Amino acid sequence: MSTNGKEAPATWLSQDAHDRLQAELDELIANRPVIAAEINARREEGDLRENGGYHAAREEQGKAEGRILYLKELLRTAQVGEAPTADAVSPGMVVTIYFDDDTDDTETFLLGSREIASTTELTVYSPESALGKAILGGRAGQACTYTAPSGADIKVTIVSFEPFAG
């Protein structure tokens, strides 16, 4: 795990999620000539400093290329299948926690890649998030503290965790 010097935990994707992301990548790559043609058409309109269509097409191209790079790397490194069961919190787990010492203030979420969010109704937290880093490797009953983006220290206790069955 990246927090203690070991390699980063694997991203697990179901076969369905992998196939959906591969289809998105294929579509983005196939759309490259369309975006290039749009940029060329807008470029021919004249003065580029005041050509909103040209700048919008270039921005769209940049976003598409960024997404292509991200998806290529995700699909290259992701593990496909069911995440292994573990005796500690790891990516691909559905985790239930409670806040501070209030056992009635619970939250259940998936610890994993944002890419899997479309396959579940659960909230998804990244293992790289402040909460994700705090609970990674934790066990049921363990209390962890993390610093929220607001700067507040938040104490959570892990109630349970199990592999995501999505």
Side-chain angles (χ1 to χ4, degrees):
M1 294 172 203
S2 58
T3 56
N4 60 10
K6 296 181 185 172
E7 78 178 49
T11 298
W12 286 89
L13 296 173
S14 67
Q15 186 64 54
D16 180 56
H18 182 275
D19 294 347
R20 204 171 44 255
L21 293 172
Q22 184 64 55
E24 179 186 351
L25 175 61
D26 294 344
E27 184 178 326
L28 286 167
I29 290 172
N31 198 36
R32 279 175 163 164
V34 174
I35 294 173
E38 176 71 16
I39 289 170
N40 194 41
R42 298 297 182 184
R43 183 181 294 123
E44 291 174 1
E45 291 175 357
D47 187 358
L48 297 181
R49 289 174 296 174
E50 296 182 17
N51 188 331
Y54 170 79
H55 294 290
R58 290 288 304 204
E59 185 175 326
E60 180 183 345
Q61 179 187 42
K63 287 179 183 177
E65 290 302 317
R67 182 74 175 157
I68 287 169
L69 290 174
Y70 173 78
L71 288 174
K72 279 184 176 179
E73 182 64 12
L74 177 65
L75 293 170
R76 183 183 71 77
T77 60
Q79 300 287 328
V80 179
E82 296 300 315
T85 58
D87 59 354
V89 174
S90 61
M93 297 271 180
V94 176
V95 183
T96 300
I97 59 171
Y98 63 83
F99 293 90
D100 297 318
D101 292 314
D102 183 357
T103 57
D104 292 328
D105 185 10
T106 64
E107 183 175 2
T108 300
F109 57 89
L110 174 62
L111 185 66
S113 168
R114 297 265 183 224
E115 298 305 323
I116 203 163
S118 63
T119 67
T120 179
E121 296 293 317
L122 290 169
T123 300
V124 178
Y125 288 107
S126 166
E128 289 81 35
S129 69
L131 173 58
K133 286 179 184 176
I135 65 171
L136 209 52
R139 301 183 189 303
Q142 183 176 339
C144 308
T145 303
Y146 70 96
T147 303
S150 66
D153 284 338
I154 298 176
K155 178 184 171 191
V156 298
T157 301
I158 301 167
V159 175
S160 64
F161 56 91
E162 62 186 30
F164 177 59

